PDB file of all heavy atoms in Angstrom:
ATOM      1  N   LEU A  63       8.834 -35.859 101.119  1.00 91.00           N
ATOM      2  CA  LEU A  63       7.645 -36.679 101.329  1.00 91.00           C
ATOM      3  C   LEU A  63       6.568 -36.341 100.320  1.00 91.00           C
ATOM      4  O   LEU A  63       5.797 -37.191  99.892  1.00 91.00           O
ATOM      5  CB  LEU A  63       7.090 -36.453 102.747  1.00 91.00           C
ATOM      6  CG  LEU A  63       7.726 -37.230 103.896  1.00 91.00           C
ATOM      7  CD1 LEU A  63       7.066 -36.829 105.211  1.00 91.00           C
ATOM      8  CD2 LEU A  63       7.590 -38.732 103.675  1.00 91.00           C
ATOM      9  N   GLN A  64       6.481 -35.053  99.960  1.00 91.00           N
ATOM     10  CA  GLN A  64       5.487 -34.592  99.002  1.00 91.00           C
ATOM     11  C   GLN A  64       6.016 -33.361  98.299  1.00 91.00           C
ATOM     12  O   GLN A  64       6.982 -32.738  98.762  1.00 91.00           O
ATOM     13  CB  GLN A  64       4.172 -34.251  99.720  1.00 91.00           C
ATOM     14  CG  GLN A  64       4.322 -33.191 100.804  1.00 91.00           C
ATOM     15  CD  GLN A  64       3.041 -32.965 101.579  1.00 91.00           C
ATOM     16  OE1 GLN A  64       2.038 -32.581 100.993  1.00 91.00           O
ATOM     17  NE2 GLN A  64       3.070 -33.205 102.882  1.00 91.00           N
ATOM     18  N   LEU A  65       5.390 -33.019  97.192  1.00 93.00           N
ATOM     19  CA  LEU A  65       5.740 -31.811  96.457  1.00 93.00           C
ATOM     20  C   LEU A  65       4.615 -30.796  96.619  1.00 93.00           C
ATOM     21  O   LEU A  65       3.467 -31.159  96.881  1.00 93.00           O
ATOM     22  CB  LEU A  65       5.965 -32.146  94.981  1.00 93.00           C
ATOM     23  CG  LEU A  65       7.185 -33.029  94.686  1.00 93.00           C
ATOM     24  CD1 LEU A  65       7.195 -33.432  93.226  1.00 93.00           C
ATOM     25  CD2 LEU A  65       8.475 -32.317  95.071  1.00 93.00           C
ATOM     26  N   PRO A  66       4.926 -29.510  96.484  1.00 93.00           N
ATOM     27  CA  PRO A  66       3.881 -28.490  96.657  1.00 93.00           C
ATOM     28  C   PRO A  66       2.763 -28.667  95.635  1.00 93.00           C
ATOM     29  O   PRO A  66       3.008 -29.035  94.481  1.00 93.00           O
ATOM     30  CB  PRO A  66       4.629 -27.171  96.473  1.00 93.00           C
ATOM     31  CG  PRO A  66       5.878 -27.524  95.740  1.00 93.00           C
ATOM     32  CD  PRO A  66       6.230 -28.910  96.168  1.00 93.00           C
ATOM     33  N   CYS A  67       1.530 -28.381  96.083  1.00 94.00           N
ATOM     34  CA  CYS A  67       0.360 -28.616  95.228  1.00 94.00           C
ATOM     35  C   CYS A  67       0.029 -27.425  94.338  1.00 94.00           C
ATOM     36  O   CYS A  67      -0.787 -27.537  93.422  1.00 94.00           O
ATOM     37  CB  CYS A  67      -0.845 -28.969  96.094  1.00 94.00           C
ATOM     38  SG  CYS A  67      -1.371 -27.635  97.201  1.00 94.00           S
ATOM     39  N   GLY A  68       0.639 -26.248  94.611  1.00 90.00           N
ATOM     40  CA  GLY A  68       0.408 -25.083  93.759  1.00 90.00           C
ATOM     41  C   GLY A  68      -0.463 -24.009  94.381  1.00 90.00           C
ATOM     42  O   GLY A  68      -0.500 -22.885  93.882  1.00 90.00           O
ATOM     43  N   THR A  69      -1.150 -24.344  95.480  1.00 90.00           N
ATOM     44  CA  THR A  69      -1.972 -23.351  96.171  1.00 90.00           C
ATOM     45  C   THR A  69      -1.763 -23.485  97.675  1.00 90.00           C
ATOM     46  O   THR A  69      -1.394 -24.546  98.167  1.00 90.00           O
ATOM     47  CB  THR A  69      -3.474 -23.532  95.856  1.00 90.00           C
ATOM     48  OG1 THR A  69      -3.882 -24.838  96.298  1.00 90.00           O
ATOM     49  CG2 THR A  69      -3.754 -23.377  94.380  1.00 90.00           C
ATOM     50  N   GLY A  70      -2.026 -22.390  98.408  1.00 91.00           N
ATOM     51  CA  GLY A  70      -1.902 -22.430  99.860  1.00 91.00           C
ATOM     52  C   GLY A  70      -1.182 -21.214 100.393  1.00 91.00           C
ATOM     53  O   GLY A  70      -0.687 -20.372  99.637  1.00 91.00           O
ATOM     54  N   GLU A  71      -1.102 -21.116 101.710  1.00 92.00           N
ATOM     55  CA  GLU A  71      -0.521 -19.941 102.367  1.00 92.00           C
ATOM     56  C   GLU A  71       1.002 -20.023 102.508  1.00 92.00           C
ATOM     57  O   GLU A  71       1.628 -19.055 102.948  1.00 92.00           O
ATOM     58  CB  GLU A  71      -1.139 -19.776 103.755  1.00 92.00           C
ATOM     59  CG  GLU A  71      -2.615 -19.425 103.735  1.00 92.00           C
ATOM     60  CD  GLU A  71      -3.136 -19.096 105.118  1.00 92.00           C
ATOM     61  OE1 GLU A  71      -2.717 -19.777 106.079  1.00 92.00           O
ATOM     62  OE2 GLU A  71      -3.943 -18.156 105.245  1.00 92.00           O
ATOM     63  N   HIS A  72       1.578 -21.157 102.145  1.00 94.00           N
ATOM     64  CA  HIS A  72       3.024 -21.333 102.298  1.00 94.00           C
ATOM     65  C   HIS A  72       3.699 -21.381 100.934  1.00 94.00           C
ATOM     66  O   HIS A  72       3.233 -22.070 100.023  1.00 94.00           O
ATOM     67  CB  HIS A  72       3.329 -22.618 103.076  1.00 94.00           C
ATOM     68  CG  HIS A  72       2.765 -22.625 104.460  1.00 94.00           C
ATOM     69  ND1 HIS A  72       3.463 -22.159 105.557  1.00 94.00           N
ATOM     70  CD2 HIS A  72       1.547 -22.999 104.924  1.00 94.00           C
ATOM     71  CE1 HIS A  72       2.702 -22.278 106.642  1.00 94.00           C
ATOM     72  NE2 HIS A  72       1.541 -22.786 106.282  1.00 94.00           N
ATOM     73  N   LEU A  73       4.789 -20.636 100.807  1.00 95.00           N
ATOM     74  CA  LEU A  73       5.577 -20.632  99.576  1.00 95.00           C
ATOM     75  C   LEU A  73       6.736 -21.619  99.753  1.00 95.00           C
ATOM     76  O   LEU A  73       7.574 -21.439 100.634  1.00 95.00           O
ATOM     77  CB  LEU A  73       6.115 -19.226  99.296  1.00 95.00           C
ATOM     78  CG  LEU A  73       6.859 -19.029  97.967  1.00 95.00           C
ATOM     79  CD1 LEU A  73       5.911 -19.256  96.787  1.00 95.00           C
ATOM     80  CD2 LEU A  73       7.485 -17.638  97.908  1.00 95.00           C
ATOM     81  N   TRP A  74       6.752 -22.654  98.929  1.00 96.00           N
ATOM     82  CA  TRP A  74       7.816 -23.653  98.996  1.00 96.00           C
ATOM     83  C   TRP A  74       8.896 -23.317  97.971  1.00 96.00           C
ATOM     84  O   TRP A  74       8.593 -22.969  96.821  1.00 96.00           O
ATOM     85  CB  TRP A  74       7.258 -25.049  98.742  1.00 96.00           C
ATOM     86  CG  TRP A  74       6.613 -25.673  99.954  1.00 96.00           C
ATOM     87  CD1 TRP A  74       5.927 -25.039 100.935  1.00 96.00           C
ATOM     88  CD2 TRP A  74       6.595 -27.063 100.268  1.00 96.00           C
ATOM     89  NE1 TRP A  74       5.477 -25.942 101.870  1.00 96.00           N
ATOM     90  CE2 TRP A  74       5.870 -27.196 101.484  1.00 96.00           C
ATOM     91  CE3 TRP A  74       7.098 -28.212  99.666  1.00 96.00           C
ATOM     92  CZ2 TRP A  74       5.653 -28.437 102.091  1.00 96.00           C
ATOM     93  CZ3 TRP A  74       6.879 -29.445 100.272  1.00 96.00           C
ATOM     94  CH2 TRP A  74       6.177 -29.554 101.467  1.00 96.00           C
ATOM     95  N   LEU A  75      10.164 -23.453  98.402  1.00 96.00           N
ATOM     96  CA  LEU A  75      11.306 -23.098  97.563  1.00 96.00           C
ATOM     97  C   LEU A  75      12.239 -24.301  97.419  1.00 96.00           C
ATOM     98  O   LEU A  75      12.636 -24.908  98.417  1.00 96.00           O
ATOM     99  CB  LEU A  75      12.082 -21.932  98.179  1.00 96.00           C
ATOM    100  CG  LEU A  75      11.273 -20.689  98.566  1.00 96.00           C
ATOM    101  CD1 LEU A  75      12.144 -19.732  99.362  1.00 96.00           C
ATOM    102  CD2 LEU A  75      10.717 -20.013  97.328  1.00 96.00           C
ATOM    103  N   ASP A  76      12.581 -24.632  96.192  1.00 96.00           N
ATOM    104  CA  ASP A  76      13.572 -25.673  95.901  1.00 96.00           C
ATOM    105  C   ASP A  76      14.921 -24.967  95.808  1.00 96.00           C
ATOM    106  O   ASP A  76      15.165 -24.202  94.873  1.00 96.00           O
ATOM    107  CB  ASP A  76      13.208 -26.359  94.588  1.00 96.00           C
ATOM    108  CG  ASP A  76      14.116 -27.544  94.268  1.00 96.00           C
ATOM    109  OD1 ASP A  76      14.939 -27.915  95.122  1.00 96.00           O
ATOM    110  OD2 ASP A  76      13.999 -28.086  93.151  1.00 96.00           O
TER     111      ASP A  76
END
Side-chain angles (χ1 to χ4, degrees):
L63 277 178
Q64 58 185 299
L65 293 173
C67 64
T69 61
E71 293 187 321
H72 299 270
L73 185 64
W74 279 34
L75 308 171
D76 185 7

